[in-house]
Amino acid sequence: MTAPSDFMPAVRFELSEVKWFDGRVSRYTKTWDDLDQELKQEKDFGLAVKKAVNRLSAPLATLIGDHSRTELEKAQRLYRHFQQRFQWNGKFGPFASEGLDKAYREGSGSVGDINLGLVAALQAAGFEAHPFLISTRNNGYPADIHPVISNFNYVVAHLRLKDRIVLLDATERLLPFGMLPHRCLSNKGRVMDFEKSYWMEIPATGLFREITQLKLTLDSASRLFGSYSAYKYDYAALKFRHEILETGDTAKYIREKEDALDAMRIVNYRLRNLDSLDQPMIESYELSFDPQGEGRGVIYIPVLPLENMEENPFKLRERYYPVNFGTGWEIQNLVEINLPENYRAATLPEAVGISLPANGGSFILNVTQHGNRINVLSKIVLSKPVYSQAEYYYVKELFSRIVQAQAGNIVVEAME
Amino acid sequence: MNKQLKWVLVVLAGLFFWKAGLGQELRFAVNGIPPELRESAEAVTRYSHTRILVTDPRKMILQVKKAVTVLSPRGEYFGVAHVFYDKSRKIADLSAEIYDASGSLVRRVKQKEFSDQSAVSDISIFEDTRVKFFNPPTDRYPYTVYYQYEVRRDDTHYFSDWFPTHSPLVSVQEAVYEVVCGPGFAIRTKEMYLPAAGREVTPDGSSVYRWHVKNLAACGEQPFAPPPRSFLPHVLIAPVNFRYKGMDGRFNNWEEYGRWVYQHLLEGRDEVPEATAEKVRTLVAGLSDEREKVERIYRFVQEKNRYVSIQVGIGGLQPMQAAEVDRLSYGDCKGLVNYTKALLSVAGIPSIYTEVAAGEEQRSYLAGFASFLQGNHVILCVPLQGDTVWLECTSKVAPFNYLGTFTSDRNVLLITPGGGKITRTPSMEGSYNRRSAVFDLHESGEASVRIETEFSGIFYFARHALARATPRQARQLIQELYPLPNLEIESWEVAQPEGDQPLTREQLNLRARGFTNWSGDRLFLPLNPLNRLNQLPGRITERKVPVWIPESYTEEDTFEFRITDGFGAEYLPDNTTLTLPFGFFSVRTRMEEGKLIYRRVLCLNKGYYPPATAEKINEFFREVYRADAQKAVLTMP
């Protein structure tokens, strides 16, 4: 979910004006037009960007190099430069706090320092770029009936390319070009085009997407061996890259995997595209394990030996606020099991297929047999980032079916 | 050469050497760390120099210089430059420097850039300890933090224990501890897992003790590791003569220590108002059994008072007056123990104020080495005919004579009028949780489940939260305790019946949809859905420290799965029994008419076992893990 304040009925007050004792009147809550002008002149916002544009043009010109590169490449290069150069100090806020120059020199600053700097750099390179004000997921949705600048606690760069709009946040080193960190996936933000600012929905900049393939062969000693590969995209890749960075040690990661499936052995563990952020992250390894069996030629193989969902994350009977994943999901798991000549599948789990109302998502699990090969396909799709309270029951039920279906087993028998 | 020039040259040379010395001291390139120190470490103390100067018993100066290289995000904690202070501990000088992996200076950090916050623990309502700290905002590993500070204090009763490293995740390249005692000041020292100090006497009569540690490799986090204090090298120091809050004192052993504490901090603080004394006399009137009297008074104290933690100045060591606790109905551990003791003495029952090191680490007072603050808590010892009763006075809910994992089975210090005496608290015996459950299985895959569980000994408080939860919280808690699929909770009850032994009883009625799973005409049935070992202790290749099992206990689970008549078992896991010095495990499964009976017993035996046991304990738990994940396969013939 996002911030609790998003769902609590409340009357919120905002200071509108003060009449001082000497008769002066100071107005606080204004129209967006007033605010546009004010932020344009604000020394830690509009003015900071304007000044930085002049100062950054020269040093960045060398970085961008000759003009033969495409517009997209140029923007990517600038973005990468800011990502690499800056160390985010963990501080939020849409305004510059250290000052753009100082922050750029030292390579460290707040959200405002880094991303307003990025806006300036993009402008210096001739792009149409503006600050995009955001209230993060934990901070609550911004009020939209009148401007409340204190609602916003974050700023990213809003960049107009020839064919599309791109939102850029340089505070995180692992983000691909054009993707926002999960904390920014709120509802909408304000594009601070100082001539005329406007609201914009925060678009889905990616999915939580993963495709895995497991190929197994059953040998005569009732042992399963084979290979596994997983392609992780967008937010799945981001999460995985963070995990690898945190653990810092794949050996430990492998051990945990081996423990997760009893007595599994992993060899040739490989990670590809760990540093190519715009490419899917690929994990692959070879594995072998002994499935459960009763020792007289009957073997039980879980339908998804590596990645079944064991628990329904949704437990409450009723839900009082929407389910907000931040992104859509797409998880596809393929398993192929090759049996020896004298074995056959005795029973296969029944196919399961359910959909959420109004194309909100679906789950299928299908187990088929072609000759001596068994194929399992499991696919979970959640097409929306947000589901309302009314949809909660369906989402919960979907997950409960997933847990149940993925706990299924394939029974394999030796033929007489 | 003229005199002035000579002087200038001498100064310059001095400056040069000083600089050179500093340069050498601050050479923090990461490649200067020997590889064996990096192996299991998340951080490495490159250099630390701790110096304590006591010129006379009224003044202690602590000087620290320390450089820590943080190797990974998990080591970040160890690279936070920090210093604690309060009214009696003043920071004289504090600064830090940050270096990158190549060892070049990234930035200097001034004292005013340090964050300053209260260092009050969660449970305290009034403390004045504060901490200044600086955590470099970086994710470029490795980096090095160098910091130095000086702290001055007026009291000399207590020297913090010196650890070259407090954590098995931190290696030490070089660490030096120096204590300089002026002519009028003497100390006693106790080295643990370290050679004795080198000692020098300077011409002015000061004694300089010096400990030096080089290349101490981290052993890494190890499952079932004993508390760090029982294998990491460290030094304890106690003053012979000291000053504390304006009082002078002197002790060489526990007896003398106890006498000083009794006379200066405890004696004469146990007066209670006559009204309360009268209440106590009424309370125990007509009771002949001493133990029963103690229990009545204990219950009275539990009901009347609540615990607050107040740690300020002398309040850190001296109890509040009993009359004050009586008036306020609250106090910290010292105040509540002193108060209970006062009430017991009204009833004519003597009892003893007892210092203890509370916590799961089971730290013992060192019989042969007396010093302040080996403990952090006090309890009350009531010696009765043939049987001693121990009272934890800070809890409103603890059973009578119950110490739990918090203070049981360790050396503690009795503070008697005649002096201090070391004794041992009893260990927790007969801890178990015993569960029996009946699963009624329906064709649809749904199961109705009745669970009854008894918790005893160290598990007495296992359902503390559930017993006090609102219905909504309780539902959530039960889902976490028993993660059955699609769980519906019909009823729950937690009771703590009075009896000889502390006991908690839980009764649940649940329903789980999709509990069993059909595959064709086979039914897959998870055999241990209620008490699964869900994580294996991590594996390590080279075990260096003993295996420690902190408490003995037994888990007994008996499940009865009621199924439709006619079902036969195609697959039941083999019965298993494992008997090892540290534990016992057995699983039995059998089919009866219309039901499947599963019984699992897991026992662990408290104790220290040789490092090589680690492999066996790993195998043991893998076996448990494997057995817990088993499913039975049933078919209708």
Side-chain angles (χ1 to χ4, degrees), chain A residues 329-331 352-357 359-365 378-384 387 398-399 402:
Chain A
W329 284 29
E330 192 183 311
I331 296 175
V352 177
I354 72 167
S355 303
L356 294 182
N359 288 328
S362 62
F363 167 62
I364 50 172
L365 185 113
S378 162
K379 187 171 182 184
I380 303 169
V381 177
L382 285 163
S383 34
K384 303 198 291 182
Y387 293 85
L398 180 81
F399 274 90
I402 294 172

Side-chain angles (χ1 to χ4, degrees), chain B residues 512-525:
Chain B
R513 260 187 317 126
F515 178 73
T516 54
N517 220 303
W518 286 96
S519 188
D521 52 2
R522 288 174 166 86
L523 187 68
F524 285 78
L525 172 69

Side-chain angles (χ1 to χ4, degrees), chain A residues 48-61:
Chain A
V49 173
K50 197 172 161 192
K51 277 188 189 164
V53 170
N54 297 330
R55 249 169 269 165
L56 284 173
S57 314
L60 291 178

Side-chain angles (χ1 to χ4, degrees), chain B residues 18 277 329 367 442 458 561-562:
Chain B
W18 181 73
S329 283
H442 309 292
I458 59 167
F561 300 94
R562 296 191 180 155

Side-chain angles (χ1 to χ4, degrees), chain B residues 155-175:
Chain B
D155 297 327
T156 51
H157 66 302
Y158 172 62
F159 287 65
S160 304
D161 300 343
W162 180 72
F163 280 75
T165 172
H166 282 275
S167 164
L169 298 178
V170 180
S171 292
V172 180
Q173 212 169 349
E174 185 174 9

Side-chain angles (χ1 to χ4, degrees), chain B residues 185-359:
Chain B
F185 191 74
I187 57 171
R188 287 174 297 114
T189 65
K190 171 86 179 162
E191 290 88 2
M192 308 294 279
Y193 320 106
L194 260 186
R199 189 177 165 191
E200 261 174 58
V201 179
T202 61
D204 71 342
S206 298
S207 300
V208 181
Y209 296 77
R210 194 162 193 275
W211 291 266
H212 192 177
V213 171
K214 267 189 133 164
N215 294 335
L216 185 68
C219 60
E221 214 148 62
Q222 313 206 22
F224 299 101
R229 197 172 268 281
S230 70
F231 64 92
L232 289 179
H234 58 283
V235 177
L236 287 86
I237 288 182
V240 173
N241 52 326
F242 64 90
R243 198 172 174 85
Y244 174 64
K245 308 289 173 213
M247 294 179 282
D248 288 317
R250 183 182 181 85
F251 65 90
N252 276 299
N253 51 46
W254 286 122
E255 193 188 325
E256 290 169 15
Y257 167 89
R259 204 175 302 132
W260 189 88
V261 169
Y262 189 85
Q263 285 168 4
H264 291 83
L265 301 176
L266 301 186
E267 200 170 27
R269 303 185 75 80
D270 56 355
E271 289 291 315
V272 288
E274 185 44 37
T276 306
E278 191 49 45
K279 232 183 263 174
V280 171
R281 282 190 284 271
T282 333
L283 211 57
V284 297
L287 295 177
S288 56
D289 184 20
E290 296 273 289
R291 193 184 157 97
E292 223 169 297
K293 287 184 194 169
V294 179
E295 186 165 356
R296 280 280 174 89
I297 291 170
Y298 182 64
R299 295 265 174 258
F300 172 76
V301 174
Q302 277 186 311
E303 265 163 49
K304 177 176 172 346
N305 298 331
R306 72 204 148 80
Y307 168 74
V308 296
S309 166
I310 307 171
Q311 314 287 340
V312 175
I314 198 169
L317 290 179
Q318 186 173 50
M320 277 156 71
Q321 292 280 6
E324 191 77 350
V325 174
D326 189 72
R327 183 172 68 81
L328 297 167
S329 283
Y330 65 68
D332 65 3
C333 59
K334 300 175 290 293
L336 294 170
V337 162
N338 182 54
Y339 179 70
T340 314
K341 179 171 177 283
L343 298 194
L344 287 172
S345 73
V346 168
I349 301 167
S351 59
I352 308 163
Y353 184 94
T354 306
E355 288 186 11
V356 56

Side-chain angles (χ1 to χ4, degrees), chain A residues 84-85 87 173 247 258-259 262 292-294 300 315-317 320 347 400 404 407 409 411 413, chain B residues 74 137-140 472 475 479 486 517 519 522 524 539 570-571 622 625-626 630-631 633:
Chain A
Q84 296 304 325
R85 180 172 189 97
Q87 172 66 56
R173 249 173 235 156
T247 335
E258 288 185 328
D259 285 340
D262 180 36
Q292 229 185 70
E294 48 78 86
Y300 311 110
K315 297 186 189 304
L316 290 176
R317 211 180 304 177
Y320 304 128
T347 49
S400 121
Q404 197 173 346
N409 282 277
V411 183
E413 256 176 4
Chain B
R74 289 178 194 179
T138 179
D139 64 2
R140 285 169 215 225
R472 196 175 157 88
R475 281 174 199 283
Q479 303 251 20
N486 304 306
N517 220 303
S519 188
R522 288 174 166 86
F524 285 78
R539 280 179 280 168
E570 178 182 78
Y571 170 74
R622 289 191 81 75
Y625 184 80
R626 206 168 291 164
Q630 288 275 5
K631 289 177 175 180
V633 182

Side-chain angles (χ1 to χ4, degrees), chain B residues 221-511:
Chain B
E221 214 148 62
Q222 313 206 22
F224 299 101
R229 197 172 268 281
S230 70
F231 64 92
L232 289 179
H234 58 283
V235 177
L236 287 86
I237 288 182
V240 173
N241 52 326
F242 64 90
R243 198 172 174 85
Y244 174 64
K245 308 289 173 213
M247 294 179 282
D248 288 317
R250 183 182 181 85
F251 65 90
N252 276 299
N253 51 46
W254 286 122
E255 193 188 325
E256 290 169 15
Y257 167 89
R259 204 175 302 132
W260 189 88
V261 169
Y262 189 85
Q263 285 168 4
H264 291 83
L265 301 176
L266 301 186
E267 200 170 27
R269 303 185 75 80
D270 56 355
E271 289 291 315
V272 288
E274 185 44 37
T276 306
E278 191 49 45
K279 232 183 263 174
V280 171
R281 282 190 284 271
T282 333
L283 211 57
V284 297
L287 295 177
S288 56
D289 184 20
E290 296 273 289
R291 193 184 157 97
E292 223 169 297
K293 287 184 194 169
V294 179
E295 186 165 356
R296 280 280 174 89
I297 291 170
Y298 182 64
R299 295 265 174 258
F300 172 76
V301 174
Q302 277 186 311
E303 265 163 49
K304 177 176 172 346
N305 298 331
R306 72 204 148 80
Y307 168 74
V308 296
S309 166
I310 307 171
Q311 314 287 340
V312 175
I314 198 169
L317 290 179
Q318 186 173 50
M320 277 156 71
Q321 292 280 6
E324 191 77 350
V325 174
D326 189 72
R327 183 172 68 81
L328 297 167
S329 283
Y330 65 68
D332 65 3
C333 59
K334 300 175 290 293
L336 294 170
V337 162
N338 182 54
Y339 179 70
T340 314
K341 179 171 177 283
L343 298 194
L344 287 172
S345 73
V346 168
I349 301 167
S351 59
I352 308 163
Y353 184 94
T354 306
E355 288 186 11
V356 56
E360 316 256 308
E361 297 202 338
Q362 301 176 9
R363 180 180 174 190
S364 267
Y365 269 62
L366 295 175
F369 187 81
S371 67
F372 268 99
L373 292 170
Q374 284 189 24
N376 54 6
H377 188 49
V378 298
I379 52 178
L380 192 60
C381 171
V382 192
L384 297 175
Q385 204 72 42
D387 183 21
T388 298
V389 165
W390 294 91
L391 301 178
E392 168 60 65
C393 299
T394 60
S395 169
K396 287 182 88 69
V397 292
F400 178 64
N401 197 21
Y402 181 91
L403 292 181
T405 55
F406 199 48
T407 51
S408 62
D409 200 13
R410 65 200 71 189
N411 287 349
V412 297
L413 184 70
L414 304 173
I415 308 284
T416 73
K421 280 195 196 92
I422 294 282
T423 188
R424 196 166 183 90
T425 50
S427 64
M428 297 296 292
E429 304 285 346
S431 296
Y432 64 81
N433 65 54
R434 199 172 285 151
R435 179 173 295 112
S436 67
V438 178
F439 294 77
D440 279 303
L441 305 180
H442 309 292
E443 288 269 335
S444 61
E446 184 175 308
S448 313
V449 195
R450 253 174 308 129
I451 310 172
E452 270 191 48
T453 313
E454 285 184 353
F455 302 90
S456 162
I458 59 167
F459 299 113
Y460 178 77
F461 286 113
R463 293 298 184 261
H464 189 71
L466 182 59
R468 283 153 190 80
T470 64
R472 196 175 157 88
Q473 291 168 335
R475 281 174 199 283
Q476 207 147 0
L477 274 173
I478 293 167
Q479 303 251 20
E480 282 158 21
L481 293 169
Y482 299 106
L484 296 172
N486 304 306
L487 192 60
E488 295 285 336
I489 297 147
E490 289 184 340
S491 69
W492 71 93
E493 198 187 311
V494 178
Q496 295 183 318
E498 303 257 333
D500 294 345
Q501 287 300 316
L503 188 73
T504 299
R505 188 176 288 138
E506 173 194 65
Q507 281 181 298
L508 298 166
N509 280 297
L510 313 171
R511 262 182 320 123

